[in-house]
Amino acid sequence: MTFYVNEVGLKGVSDYTHRVIGLFDNNDWAGKGYFCGWYGAEYYLNTNLLAYGIQLINGSTCYDPKVPFNGGFYGNANIHFDEVRIGSGMWEKRIEADSIEEAIAIFKNQSW
């Protein structure tokens, strides 16, 4: 099975000093708006956030999904989204695993 890693705008958690990296079970994608030849915002559609880690960062820090989850790790999130904003489809990483539990373990160890 394939799982997907991307930044996620998680309401009440994501802010200037907290970047959330999520593990998803589906990467159906949509872009909206227009910004310099690309979309202004990107979304995963009809997906489940299986787990997420929080990175404590300075908001001007470049995206790096392998920065440690020093702000916490949540391994059984299981939150469904009809639409959720992501960092970018171009940032997506993939995890191949035989089960959700295995994918969460790989994600937690950031060993994709």
Side-chain angles (χ1 to χ4, degrees), residues 8-71:
V8 57
L10 199 56
K11 195 172 194 172
V13 181
S14 302
D15 62 24
Y16 189 75
T17 60
H18 298 85
R19 179 177 291 139
V20 180
I21 309 298
L23 176 69
F24 297 91
D25 65 355
N26 181 20
N27 70 337
D28 288 348
W29 179 93
K32 296 182 180 182
Y34 178 77
F35 180 74
C36 296
W38 189 245
Y39 298 97
E42 298 178 51
Y43 300 86
Y44 280 162
L45 307 173
N46 191 31
T47 191
N48 294 301
L49 176 63
L50 303 172
Y52 64 92
I54 301 170
Q55 300 171 335
L56 300 178
I57 52 121
N58 172 321
S60 62
T61 305
C62 292
Y63 174 75
D64 180 355
K66 291 219 174 181
V67 168
F69 297 141
N70 53 0

Side-chain angles (χ1 to χ4, degrees), residues 3 43 53 74 78 87 93:
F3 300 88
Y43 300 86
Y74 301 86
N78 200 26
K93 302 293 183 194

